């Protein structure tokens, strides 16, 4: 029975890791889609045709909707696996291993929470960019309509065009900033996963070998003591120099 329970727990962990890997890849692609969305819209703005498709019919919008559904399904599956792991930890007969199981379960819950937060944040950024593009597209159509009715040499039209150009320049600057922020976020996410892996290994070693844990604590205490001694010596020397200088 114990062997069967152990196999069931390992199967749950395997499912959780597989779903986490799939979510990580999906979220990276989702972030890249959000970053490249505005630049591709700039290309479509240059099209002089009035038959340019609306955003709701664009390929990127369809990709956005499809990827959102896929990520939400993966998050739901991972939530279900975590719930099954939580039920297993309360099963009679695994009390002796409960601390280690709870530690593993908490780690998977933290990963799920991070992925959920990252998904909703990226989705909100995408929606904000799309709304801004809709607004600028409407302004562009208004300008074109006004140009057709009043002529290019009209003073008010020129001012309107200058304002529109200023908005486009600001939009490009904001897009560049978002791209840098997204690249930085991806790098920090990768580093966070690496640091979590190192921390998990160190905790495992410390739990398996108490002597190593005690040695690390002694080293930290000695470093703190040496720092205090060095600070005291520097303070005394400073006081003596001041007394000598003002004597």
């Amino acid at each position: 029975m114990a062997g069967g329970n152990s196999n069931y727990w390992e199967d749950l962990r395997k499912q959780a890791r597989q779903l986490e890997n799939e979510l990580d890849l999906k979220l990276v692609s989702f972030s890249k889609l959000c970053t490249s969305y505005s630049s591709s819209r700039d290309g479509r703005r240059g099209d002089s045709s009035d038959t340019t498709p609306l955003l709701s019919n664009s390929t990127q919008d369809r990709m956005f909707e499809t990827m959102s559904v896929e990520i939400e399904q993966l998050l739901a599956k991972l939530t279900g696996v975590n719930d099954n792991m939580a039920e297993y930890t309360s099963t009679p007969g695994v009390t002796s291993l409960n601390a280690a199981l709870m530690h593993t379960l908490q780690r998977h819950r933290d990963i799920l929470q991070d992925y959920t937060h990252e998904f909703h944040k990226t989705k909100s950024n995408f929606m904000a960019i799309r709304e801004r593009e809709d607004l600028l597209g409407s302004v562009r159509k208004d300008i074109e309509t006004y140009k057709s009715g009043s002529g290019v040499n009209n003073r008010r039209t020129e001012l309107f065009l200058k304002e529109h150009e200023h908005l486009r320049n600001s939009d490009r600057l904001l897009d560049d900033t978002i791209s840098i922020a997204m690249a930085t976020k991806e790098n920090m996410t990768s580093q966070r996963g690496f640091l979590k892996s190192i921390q998990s290994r160190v905790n495992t070693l410390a739990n398996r070998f108490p002597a190593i844990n005690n040695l690390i604590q002694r080293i930290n205490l000695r470093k703190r003591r040496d720092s205090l001694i060095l600070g005291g010596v520097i303070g005394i020397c400073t006081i003596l120099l001041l007394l000598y200088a003002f004597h």
Side-chain angles (χ1 to χ4, degrees):
M1 183 65 181
N5 288 339
S6 177
N7 291 335
Y8 177 68
W9 175 258
E10 290 301 324
D11 289 340
L12 290 176
R13 288 192 62 189
K14 183 177 180 181
Q15 293 176 27
R17 287 194 295 267
Q18 182 178 358
L19 290 171
E20 287 167 359
N21 291 334
E22 292 179 11
L23 275 168
D24 186 68
L25 294 175
K26 288 287 185 182
L27 288 173
V28 170
S29 300
F30 198 58
S31 297
K32 290 181 179 179
L33 175 65
C34 178
T35 303
S36 62
Y37 182 83
S38 182
S39 59
S40 63
R41 281 291 296 163
D42 280 339
R44 290 199 294 271
R45 285 180 199 161
D47 188 0
S48 59
S49 174
D50 292 333
T51 60
T52 302
L54 297 176
L55 283 173
S56 57
N57 296 325
S58 68
T59 302
Q60 287 167 312
D61 285 337
R62 291 194 298 270
M63 290 176 60
F64 169 76
E65 298 296 338
T66 301
M67 293 183 68
S68 295
V69 172
E70 292 175 352
I71 293 174
E72 287 173 352
Q73 291 175 349
L74 289 173
L75 289 173
K77 290 180 180 179
L78 184 57
T79 300
V81 172
N82 284 350
D83 292 340
N84 291 335
M85 294 173 71
E87 292 178 1
Y88 177 82
T89 57
S90 59
T91 301
V94 297
T95 307
S96 59
L97 301 175
N98 192 53
L101 297 182
M102 290 300 297
H103 174 75
T104 302
L105 174 60
Q106 185 60 42
R107 184 164 58 86
H108 286 293
R109 283 176 171 172
D110 291 341
I111 293 174
L112 173 60
Q113 183 179 3
D114 291 341
Y115 284 159
T116 302
H117 176 73
E118 182 177 354
F119 168 66
H120 289 301
K121 183 177 180 181
T122 304
K123 185 176 181 180
S124 298
N125 290 338
F126 187 97
M127 297 298 293
I129 292 174
R130 186 164 64 179
E131 291 175 359
R132 187 177 68 250
E133 294 295 334
D134 286 338
L135 177 61
L136 292 177
S138 177
V139 171
R140 178 180 176 274
K141 289 181 180 180
D142 292 340
I143 292 175
E144 294 296 334
T145 302
Y146 191 82
K147 285 171 58 179
S148 300
S150 302
V152 180
N153 295 326
N154 188 282
R155 176 62 180 170
R156 295 177 62 186
T157 302
E158 292 178 358
L159 294 176
F160 204 4
L161 288 173
K162 289 181 180 180
E163 183 65 21
H164 175 61
E165 186 63 23
H166 176 70
L167 289 174
R168 291 191 61 181
N169 292 334
S170 300
D171 184 43
R172 292 194 189 97
L173 180 61
L174 182 60
D175 290 339
D176 292 340
T177 304
I178 292 175
S179 299
I180 294 173
M182 295 299 292
T184 303
K185 181 180 69 63
E186 292 179 5
N187 188 23
M188 293 182 66
T189 300
S190 176
Q191 292 181 4
R192 180 183 60 194
F194 179 70
L195 291 175
K196 283 186 176 180
S197 177
I198 294 177
Q199 182 180 5
S200 177
R201 293 178 182 176
V202 171
N203 290 335
T204 302
L205 289 175
N207 292 331
R208 289 184 177 179
F209 304 99
I212 294 178
N213 192 19
N214 292 333
L215 179 60
I216 293 175
Q217 292 180 357
R218 291 179 181 177
I219 291 174
N220 291 332
L221 289 175
R222 178 163 294 183
K223 288 173 62 178
R224 190 178 297 113
R225 185 192 64 185
D226 292 343
S227 298
L228 292 175
I229 293 174
L230 181 60
V233 171
I234 293 174
I236 292 173
C237 291
T238 303
I239 293 173
L240 292 176
L241 288 174
L242 291 174
L243 292 175
Y244 178 79
F246 290 100
H247 187 269

